[in-house]
Amino acid sequence: MKGFFITIEGLDGAGKTTQIKFLKEYIERRGYDVVVTREPGGTPISEKIRNIILDKENSEMCPKAEALLYAASRAQHTTEVIHPAIKAGKVVICDRFVDSSLVYQGAGRSLGLEAIKNINDFATNHIEPNLTIFFDISPEITVERIRESKEIDRLEQEEIAFHYSVYNEYKNLANKYSNRIKVVNANNSIDNIKNDIEIVINKLLEA
Ligand code: TYD
C-alpha cells in the first residue's frame, strides 16, 4: 500500500483534535494503518523541546530561537516517526507541520516566510504533505473558546492582532497552494465538518 502524509492546520481552538479522532477511524475503515502524531512533539526529544517552547516562564525567548526550536523538534519528528511510517505504507495524520511555522513564526513573529521555509526545508529534507486540511474559523471565535476552556500557553496568550496575522497568512497559503491545502469551514457543526473532511479524503485516496 502507498503511504500518505496528511497535515491538519488551523488556529488553536479551531476544533482539530475532535476531527482528527474521526479522521483516523475513517481512514482505518478504508483498510489503512494510521499513525496520528502532533507538532511540536511526537517523539520524546521533540516533546522536551515542546515544553521549552510553550513554557510561560520563557517570556524572553526571541523569535529566531522559537523558530529554530520548532524546526529542531520537527527534524527529529520527521526522521524518527513521519518518514519511516510513510515509507512503510502507513497514513500519517500530523496535527500541525511546516505551515504552522510559516504562519506563526513567519507572519505572526514577522520573521518572513522565506527564512522559515529555508530552515524547515533543511530540517525536513523538503518533505511535503500530500494533503493539508485547514480549519477555517475566525480568531475572534477561537480566542474566546480558548479563554473559556483551559489554562493558556505562551503562544495562546498573544494579543488578538497576532492571531489575526496568523489567520490571514493561513488564508494566503490556502490560496497559493490550493492543490495541496483544502479549506473546511470550522464554524459548521461537528457532523458537517466531519462530512466535508471525508469528501476531501476520498478524493485523496481515490486519486
Ligand atoms: P498545539 O499543540 O496545537 O497547542 P495545544 O496543545 O494548545 O492544542 O500547538 C502549540 C502552539 O504552538 C500553538 O499555539 C501553535 C504553535 N506553533 C507554532 O507557533 N509554530 C509551529 O511550527 C507549530 C507546530 C506550532
mmCIF file of all heavy atoms in Angstrom, residues 143-178:
data_model
loop_
_atom_site.group_PDB
_atom_site.id
_atom_site.type_symbol
_atom_site.label_atom_id
_atom_site.label_comp_id
_atom_site.label_asym_id
_atom_site.label_seq_id
_atom_site.Cartn_x
_atom_site.Cartn_y
_atom_site.Cartn_z
ATOM 1 N N VAL A 143 -10.276 32.561 20.038
ATOM 2 C CA VAL A 143 -9.675 33.160 21.235
ATOM 3 C C VAL A 143 -10.668 33.069 22.408
ATOM 4 O O VAL A 143 -10.297 32.730 23.534
ATOM 5 C CB VAL A 143 -9.236 34.624 20.960
ATOM 6 C CG1 VAL A 143 -8.950 35.371 22.244
ATOM 7 C CG2 VAL A 143 -8.003 34.637 20.052
ATOM 8 N N GLU A 144 -11.917 33.319 22.115
ATOM 9 C CA GLU A 144 -12.967 33.223 23.155
ATOM 10 C C GLU A 144 -13.069 31.784 23.674
ATOM 11 O O GLU A 144 -13.087 31.543 24.875
ATOM 12 C CB GLU A 144 -14.288 33.688 22.538
ATOM 13 C CG GLU A 144 -15.338 34.116 23.539
ATOM 14 C CD GLU A 144 -14.788 34.994 24.659
ATOM 15 O OE1 GLU A 144 -14.051 35.978 24.397
ATOM 16 O OE2 GLU A 144 -15.078 34.652 25.814
ATOM 17 N N ARG A 145 -13.064 30.830 22.752
ATOM 18 C CA ARG A 145 -13.155 29.402 23.126
ATOM 19 C C ARG A 145 -12.006 28.998 24.045
ATOM 20 O O ARG A 145 -12.205 28.298 25.037
ATOM 21 C CB ARG A 145 -13.051 28.512 21.880
ATOM 22 C CG ARG A 145 -14.331 28.327 21.146
ATOM 23 C CD ARG A 145 -14.086 27.255 20.072
ATOM 24 N NE ARG A 145 -15.185 27.215 19.136
ATOM 25 C CZ ARG A 145 -15.179 26.518 18.010
ATOM 26 N NH1 ARG A 145 -14.110 25.815 17.678
ATOM 27 N NH2 ARG A 145 -16.210 26.516 17.221
ATOM 28 N N ILE A 146 -10.795 29.423 23.686
ATOM 29 C CA ILE A 146 -9.614 29.022 24.456
ATOM 30 C C ILE A 146 -9.674 29.596 25.859
ATOM 31 O O ILE A 146 -9.410 28.907 26.842
ATOM 32 C CB ILE A 146 -8.318 29.484 23.750
ATOM 33 C CG1 ILE A 146 -8.101 28.670 22.489
ATOM 34 C CG2 ILE A 146 -7.116 29.322 24.662
ATOM 35 C CD1 ILE A 146 -7.069 29.271 21.577
ATOM 36 N N ARG A 147 -10.059 30.857 25.954
ATOM 37 C CA ARG A 147 -10.096 31.505 27.274
ATOM 38 C C ARG A 147 -11.087 30.815 28.190
ATOM 39 O O ARG A 147 -10.886 30.733 29.390
ATOM 40 C CB ARG A 147 -10.441 32.984 27.120
ATOM 41 C CG ARG A 147 -9.297 33.702 26.439
ATOM 42 C CD ARG A 147 -9.215 35.182 26.751
ATOM 43 N NE ARG A 147 -7.971 35.696 26.206
ATOM 44 C CZ ARG A 147 -7.871 36.678 25.329
ATOM 45 N NH1 ARG A 147 -8.937 37.330 24.932
ATOM 46 N NH2 ARG A 147 -6.688 37.044 24.872
ATOM 47 N N GLU A 148 -12.156 30.298 27.605
ATOM 48 C CA GLU A 148 -13.181 29.638 28.434
ATOM 49 C C GLU A 148 -12.773 28.225 28.834
ATOM 50 O O GLU A 148 -13.227 27.709 29.835
ATOM 51 C CB GLU A 148 -14.503 29.544 27.650
ATOM 52 C CG GLU A 148 -15.262 30.846 27.655
ATOM 53 C CD GLU A 148 -16.422 30.836 26.676
ATOM 54 O OE1 GLU A 148 -16.708 29.785 26.070
ATOM 55 O OE2 GLU A 148 -17.031 31.906 26.519
ATOM 56 N N SER A 149 -11.897 27.583 28.025
ATOM 57 C CA SER A 149 -11.775 26.138 28.173
ATOM 58 C C SER A 149 -10.598 25.648 29.001
ATOM 59 O O SER A 149 -10.646 24.576 29.562
ATOM 60 C CB SER A 149 -11.733 25.488 26.796
ATOM 61 O OG SER A 149 -10.500 25.792 26.185
ATOM 62 N N LYS A 150 -9.475 26.373 29.050
ATOM 63 C CA LYS A 150 -8.301 25.761 29.688
ATOM 64 C C LYS A 150 -7.282 26.819 30.076
ATOM 65 O O LYS A 150 -7.422 27.994 29.719
ATOM 66 C CB LYS A 150 -7.661 24.749 28.727
ATOM 67 C CG LYS A 150 -7.208 25.387 27.421
ATOM 68 C CD LYS A 150 -6.297 24.475 26.637
ATOM 69 C CE LYS A 150 -5.591 25.266 25.567
ATOM 70 N NZ LYS A 150 -4.595 24.653 24.819
ATOM 71 N N GLU A 151 -6.224 26.359 30.732
ATOM 72 C CA GLU A 151 -5.121 27.270 31.035
ATOM 73 C C GLU A 151 -4.347 27.514 29.746
ATOM 74 O O GLU A 151 -4.031 26.565 29.026
ATOM 75 C CB GLU A 151 -4.208 26.628 32.079
ATOM 76 C CG GLU A 151 -3.703 27.658 33.079
ATOM 77 C CD GLU A 151 -2.377 27.249 33.681
ATOM 78 O OE1 GLU A 151 -2.308 26.118 34.209
ATOM 79 O OE2 GLU A 151 -1.440 28.050 33.618
ATOM 80 N N ILE A 152 -4.021 28.771 29.461
ATOM 81 C CA ILE A 152 -3.427 29.056 28.152
ATOM 82 C C ILE A 152 -1.898 29.003 28.189
ATOM 83 O O ILE A 152 -1.294 29.270 29.218
ATOM 84 C CB ILE A 152 -3.909 30.415 27.593
ATOM 85 C CG1 ILE A 152 -3.611 31.563 28.552
ATOM 86 C CG2 ILE A 152 -5.385 30.378 27.293
ATOM 87 C CD1 ILE A 152 -4.016 32.919 28.014
ATOM 88 N N ASP A 153 -1.286 28.612 27.029
ATOM 89 C CA ASP A 153 0.172 28.526 26.966
ATOM 90 C C ASP A 153 0.772 29.835 26.409
ATOM 91 O O ASP A 153 0.053 30.805 26.157
ATOM 92 C CB ASP A 153 0.634 27.283 26.188
ATOM 93 C CG ASP A 153 0.265 27.332 24.709
ATOM 94 O OD1 ASP A 153 0.312 28.423 24.106
ATOM 95 O OD2 ASP A 153 -0.059 26.260 24.153
ATOM 96 N N ARG A 154 2.111 29.843 26.218
ATOM 97 C CA ARG A 154 2.807 31.090 25.877
ATOM 98 C C ARG A 154 2.328 31.689 24.553
ATOM 99 O O ARG A 154 2.231 32.906 24.410
ATOM 100 C CB ARG A 154 4.327 30.825 25.830
ATOM 101 C CG ARG A 154 5.196 32.070 25.953
ATOM 102 C CD ARG A 154 6.663 31.711 26.093
ATOM 103 N NE ARG A 154 7.156 30.943 24.974
ATOM 104 C CZ ARG A 154 7.528 31.460 23.806
ATOM 105 N NH1 ARG A 154 7.483 32.757 23.620
ATOM 106 N NH2 ARG A 154 7.952 30.685 22.832
ATOM 107 N N LEU A 155 2.049 30.813 23.555
ATOM 108 C CA LEU A 155 1.618 31.382 22.281
ATOM 109 C C LEU A 155 0.150 31.810 22.307
ATOM 110 O O LEU A 155 -0.228 32.795 21.703
ATOM 111 C CB LEU A 155 1.887 30.409 21.125
ATOM 112 C CG LEU A 155 3.302 30.638 20.586
ATOM 113 C CD1 LEU A 155 4.310 29.749 21.262
ATOM 114 C CD2 LEU A 155 3.368 30.553 19.100
ATOM 115 N N GLU A 156 -0.638 31.042 23.067
ATOM 116 C CA GLU A 156 -2.067 31.378 23.107
ATOM 117 C C GLU A 156 -2.335 32.699 23.821
ATOM 118 O O GLU A 156 -3.374 33.317 23.634
ATOM 119 C CB GLU A 156 -2.842 30.239 23.792
ATOM 120 C CG GLU A 156 -2.943 29.005 22.907
ATOM 121 C CD GLU A 156 -3.289 27.742 23.677
ATOM 122 O OE1 GLU A 156 -3.254 27.767 24.931
ATOM 123 O OE2 GLU A 156 -3.582 26.731 23.044
ATOM 124 N N GLN A 157 -1.387 33.132 24.674
ATOM 125 C CA GLN A 157 -1.639 34.365 25.424
ATOM 126 C C GLN A 157 -1.360 35.633 24.596
ATOM 127 O O GLN A 157 -1.519 36.740 25.075
ATOM 128 C CB GLN A 157 -0.842 34.369 26.735
ATOM 129 C CG GLN A 157 0.663 34.510 26.545
ATOM 130 C CD GLN A 157 1.446 34.293 27.844
ATOM 131 O OE1 GLN A 157 0.879 33.978 28.883
ATOM 132 N NE2 GLN A 157 2.742 34.482 27.774
ATOM 133 N N GLU A 158 -0.961 35.457 23.327
ATOM 134 C CA GLU A 158 -0.710 36.608 22.453
ATOM 135 C C GLU A 158 -1.988 37.416 22.213
ATOM 136 O O GLU A 158 -3.092 36.893 22.302
ATOM 137 C CB GLU A 158 -0.165 36.125 21.099
ATOM 138 C CG GLU A 158 1.270 35.655 21.133
ATOM 139 C CD GLU A 158 2.264 36.787 21.410
ATOM 140 O OE1 GLU A 158 1.945 37.948 21.110
ATOM 141 O OE2 GLU A 158 3.347 36.479 21.938
ATOM 142 N N GLU A 159 -1.781 38.687 21.815
ATOM 143 C CA GLU A 159 -2.899 39.588 21.520
ATOM 144 C C GLU A 159 -3.686 39.107 20.296
ATOM 145 O O GLU A 159 -3.149 38.406 19.445
ATOM 146 C CB GLU A 159 -2.355 40.987 21.189
ATOM 147 C CG GLU A 159 -1.543 41.633 22.292
ATOM 148 C CD GLU A 159 -2.408 41.961 23.501
ATOM 149 O OE1 GLU A 159 -3.588 42.299 23.320
ATOM 150 O OE2 GLU A 159 -1.888 41.853 24.621
ATOM 151 N N ILE A 160 -4.913 39.602 20.181
ATOM 152 C CA ILE A 160 -5.772 39.212 19.060
ATOM 153 C C ILE A 160 -5.122 39.571 17.712
ATOM 154 O O ILE A 160 -5.254 38.825 16.743
ATOM 155 C CB ILE A 160 -7.191 39.838 19.193
ATOM 156 C CG1 ILE A 160 -8.147 39.352 18.112
ATOM 157 C CG2 ILE A 160 -7.158 41.355 19.232
ATOM 158 C CD1 ILE A 160 -8.839 38.073 18.441
ATOM 159 N N ALA A 161 -4.351 40.665 17.654
ATOM 160 C CA ALA A 161 -3.699 41.065 16.388
ATOM 161 C C ALA A 161 -2.739 39.976 15.899
ATOM 162 O O ALA A 161 -2.629 39.727 14.695
ATOM 163 C CB ALA A 161 -2.943 42.371 16.572
ATOM 164 N N PHE A 162 -2.057 39.327 16.838
ATOM 165 C CA PHE A 162 -1.155 38.229 16.487
ATOM 166 C C PHE A 162 -1.964 37.097 15.834
ATOM 167 O O PHE A 162 -1.592 36.586 14.774
ATOM 168 C CB PHE A 162 -0.450 37.733 17.755
ATOM 169 C CG PHE A 162 0.436 36.526 17.555
ATOM 170 C CD1 PHE A 162 1.746 36.667 17.131
ATOM 171 C CD2 PHE A 162 -0.041 35.244 17.811
ATOM 172 C CE1 PHE A 162 2.569 35.554 16.956
ATOM 173 C CE2 PHE A 162 0.776 34.130 17.635
ATOM 174 C CZ PHE A 162 2.080 34.285 17.210
ATOM 175 N N HIS A 163 -3.069 36.735 16.446
ATOM 176 C CA HIS A 163 -3.883 35.641 15.907
ATOM 177 C C HIS A 163 -4.462 35.996 14.534
ATOM 178 O O HIS A 163 -4.618 35.140 13.675
ATOM 179 C CB HIS A 163 -4.987 35.258 16.891
ATOM 180 C CG HIS A 163 -4.443 34.735 18.184
ATOM 181 N ND1 HIS A 163 -3.930 33.456 18.312
ATOM 182 C CD2 HIS A 163 -4.278 35.319 19.389
ATOM 183 C CE1 HIS A 163 -3.480 33.287 19.550
ATOM 184 N NE2 HIS A 163 -3.687 34.400 20.227
ATOM 185 N N TYR A 164 -4.767 37.296 14.336
ATOM 186 C CA TYR A 164 -5.244 37.726 13.013
ATOM 187 C C TYR A 164 -4.157 37.616 11.962
ATOM 188 O O TYR A 164 -4.422 37.203 10.831
ATOM 189 C CB TYR A 164 -5.810 39.160 13.052
ATOM 190 C CG TYR A 164 -7.310 39.134 13.140
ATOM 191 C CD1 TYR A 164 -7.957 39.376 14.348
ATOM 192 C CD2 TYR A 164 -8.080 38.795 12.028
ATOM 193 C CE1 TYR A 164 -9.337 39.293 14.442
ATOM 194 C CE2 TYR A 164 -9.452 38.715 12.109
ATOM 195 C CZ TYR A 164 -10.081 38.973 13.320
ATOM 196 O OH TYR A 164 -11.431 38.880 13.399
ATOM 197 N N SER A 165 -2.918 37.967 12.304
ATOM 198 C CA SER A 165 -1.879 37.862 11.272
ATOM 199 C C SER A 165 -1.619 36.390 10.942
ATOM 200 O O SER A 165 -1.367 36.042 9.785
ATOM 201 C CB SER A 165 -0.605 38.627 11.648
ATOM 202 O OG SER A 165 -0.004 38.039 12.745
ATOM 203 N N VAL A 166 -1.708 35.528 11.953
ATOM 204 C CA VAL A 166 -1.585 34.080 11.709
ATOM 205 C C VAL A 166 -2.719 33.604 10.789
ATOM 206 O O VAL A 166 -2.487 32.925 9.779
ATOM 207 C CB VAL A 166 -1.631 33.312 13.058
ATOM 208 C CG1 VAL A 166 -1.796 31.817 12.839
ATOM 209 C CG2 VAL A 166 -0.372 33.599 13.869
ATOM 210 N N TYR A 167 -3.933 34.008 11.113
ATOM 211 C CA TYR A 167 -5.117 33.587 10.345
ATOM 212 C C TYR A 167 -5.025 34.073 8.889
ATOM 213 O O TYR A 167 -5.246 33.295 7.955
ATOM 214 C CB TYR A 167 -6.368 34.142 11.025
ATOM 215 C CG TYR A 167 -7.652 33.871 10.282
ATOM 216 C CD1 TYR A 167 -8.180 32.583 10.217
ATOM 217 C CD2 TYR A 167 -8.344 34.903 9.643
ATOM 218 C CE1 TYR A 167 -9.359 32.333 9.530
ATOM 219 C CE2 TYR A 167 -9.519 34.663 8.962
ATOM 220 C CZ TYR A 167 -10.024 33.377 8.916
ATOM 221 O OH TYR A 167 -11.203 33.134 8.237
ATOM 222 N N ASN A 168 -4.665 35.344 8.714
ATOM 223 C CA ASN A 168 -4.592 35.888 7.354
ATOM 224 C C ASN A 168 -3.526 35.177 6.524
ATOM 225 O O ASN A 168 -3.709 34.932 5.335
ATOM 226 C CB ASN A 168 -4.317 37.399 7.385
ATOM 227 C CG ASN A 168 -5.535 38.148 7.895
ATOM 228 O OD1 ASN A 168 -6.662 37.671 7.768
ATOM 229 N ND2 ASN A 168 -5.314 39.311 8.493
ATOM 230 N N GLU A 169 -2.429 34.799 7.170
ATOM 231 C CA GLU A 169 -1.382 34.087 6.426
ATOM 232 C C GLU A 169 -1.841 32.670 6.059
ATOM 233 O O GLU A 169 -1.511 32.165 4.984
ATOM 234 C CB GLU A 169 -0.071 34.060 7.224
ATOM 235 C CG GLU A 169 1.135 33.667 6.393
ATOM 236 C CD GLU A 169 1.315 34.527 5.131
ATOM 237 O OE1 GLU A 169 1.280 35.763 5.241
ATOM 238 O OE2 GLU A 169 1.485 33.938 4.047
ATOM 239 N N TYR A 170 -2.593 32.036 6.940
ATOM 240 C CA TYR A 170 -3.174 30.726 6.587
ATOM 241 C C TYR A 170 -4.027 30.859 5.319
ATOM 242 O O TYR A 170 -3.959 30.022 4.414
ATOM 243 C CB TYR A 170 -4.076 30.215 7.717
ATOM 244 C CG TYR A 170 -3.436 29.257 8.703
ATOM 245 C CD1 TYR A 170 -3.622 29.424 10.075
ATOM 246 C CD2 TYR A 170 -2.694 28.147 8.276
ATOM 247 C CE1 TYR A 170 -3.070 28.534 11.002
ATOM 248 C CE2 TYR A 170 -2.147 27.255 9.185
ATOM 249 C CZ TYR A 170 -2.338 27.452 10.541
ATOM 250 O OH TYR A 170 -1.797 26.560 11.443
ATOM 251 N N LYS A 171 -4.825 31.916 5.258
ATOM 252 C CA LYS A 171 -5.700 32.118 4.088
ATOM 253 C C LYS A 171 -4.853 32.343 2.828
ATOM 254 O O LYS A 171 -5.178 31.814 1.767
ATOM 255 C CB LYS A 171 -6.619 33.327 4.305
ATOM 256 C CG LYS A 171 -7.511 33.224 5.535
ATOM 257 C CD LYS A 171 -8.755 32.432 5.267
ATOM 258 C CE LYS A 171 -9.853 33.344 4.776
ATOM 259 N NZ LYS A 171 -11.139 32.585 4.749
ATOM 260 N N ASN A 172 -3.763 33.121 2.971
ATOM 261 C CA ASN A 172 -2.867 33.336 1.817
ATOM 262 C C ASN A 172 -2.285 32.020 1.331
ATOM 263 O O ASN A 172 -2.240 31.751 0.132
ATOM 264 C CB ASN A 172 -1.694 34.252 2.198
ATOM 265 C CG ASN A 172 -2.130 35.680 2.371
ATOM 266 O OD1 ASN A 172 -3.197 36.059 1.896
ATOM 267 N ND2 ASN A 172 -1.321 36.465 3.067
ATOM 268 N N LEU A 173 -1.796 31.201 2.283
ATOM 269 C CA LEU A 173 -1.191 29.912 1.894
ATOM 270 C C LEU A 173 -2.233 29.026 1.205
ATOM 271 O O LEU A 173 -1.927 28.356 0.222
ATOM 272 C CB LEU A 173 -0.634 29.183 3.123
ATOM 273 C CG LEU A 173 0.608 29.757 3.806
ATOM 274 C CD1 LEU A 173 1.025 28.863 4.970
ATOM 275 C CD2 LEU A 173 1.774 29.904 2.827
ATOM 276 N N ALA A 174 -3.452 29.024 1.745
ATOM 277 C CA ALA A 174 -4.505 28.177 1.168
ATOM 278 C C ALA A 174 -4.805 28.596 -0.270
ATOM 279 O O ALA A 174 -5.083 27.751 -1.134
ATOM 280 C CB ALA A 174 -5.767 28.241 2.024
ATOM 281 N N ASN A 175 -4.727 29.899 -0.556
ATOM 282 C CA ASN A 175 -4.922 30.375 -1.935
ATOM 283 C C ASN A 175 -3.756 29.997 -2.825
ATOM 284 O O ASN A 175 -3.928 29.549 -3.951
ATOM 285 C CB ASN A 175 -5.044 31.904 -1.951
ATOM 286 C CG ASN A 175 -6.460 32.323 -1.640
ATOM 287 O OD1 ASN A 175 -7.402 31.596 -1.962
ATOM 288 N ND2 ASN A 175 -6.614 33.460 -0.994
ATOM 289 N N LYS A 176 -2.554 30.168 -2.273
ATOM 290 C CA LYS A 176 -1.340 29.946 -3.056
ATOM 291 C C LYS A 176 -1.130 28.461 -3.375
ATOM 292 O O LYS A 176 -0.686 28.114 -4.463
ATOM 293 C CB LYS A 176 -0.162 30.488 -2.243
ATOM 294 C CG LYS A 176 1.120 30.646 -2.997
ATOM 295 C CD LYS A 176 2.106 31.531 -2.230
ATOM 296 C CE LYS A 176 3.514 31.339 -2.721
ATOM 297 N NZ LYS A 176 4.500 31.799 -1.732
ATOM 298 N N TYR A 177 -1.436 27.610 -2.401
ATOM 299 C CA TYR A 177 -1.208 26.165 -2.594
ATOM 300 C C TYR A 177 -2.542 25.419 -2.597
ATOM 301 O O TYR A 177 -2.734 24.458 -1.861
ATOM 302 C CB TYR A 177 -0.290 25.618 -1.493
ATOM 303 C CG TYR A 177 1.046 26.318 -1.420
ATOM 304 C CD1 TYR A 177 1.362 27.173 -0.369
ATOM 305 C CD2 TYR A 177 2.004 26.124 -2.419
ATOM 306 C CE1 TYR A 177 2.589 27.836 -0.311
ATOM 307 C CE2 TYR A 177 3.235 26.778 -2.367
ATOM 308 C CZ TYR A 177 3.524 27.633 -1.314
ATOM 309 O OH TYR A 177 4.727 28.280 -1.263
ATOM 310 N N SER A 178 -3.455 25.887 -3.454
ATOM 311 C CA SER A 178 -4.823 25.353 -3.397
ATOM 312 C C SER A 178 -4.902 23.873 -3.797
ATOM 313 O O SER A 178 -5.862 23.187 -3.473
ATOM 314 C CB SER A 178 -5.765 26.201 -4.246
ATOM 315 O OG SER A 178 -5.256 26.257 -5.556
#
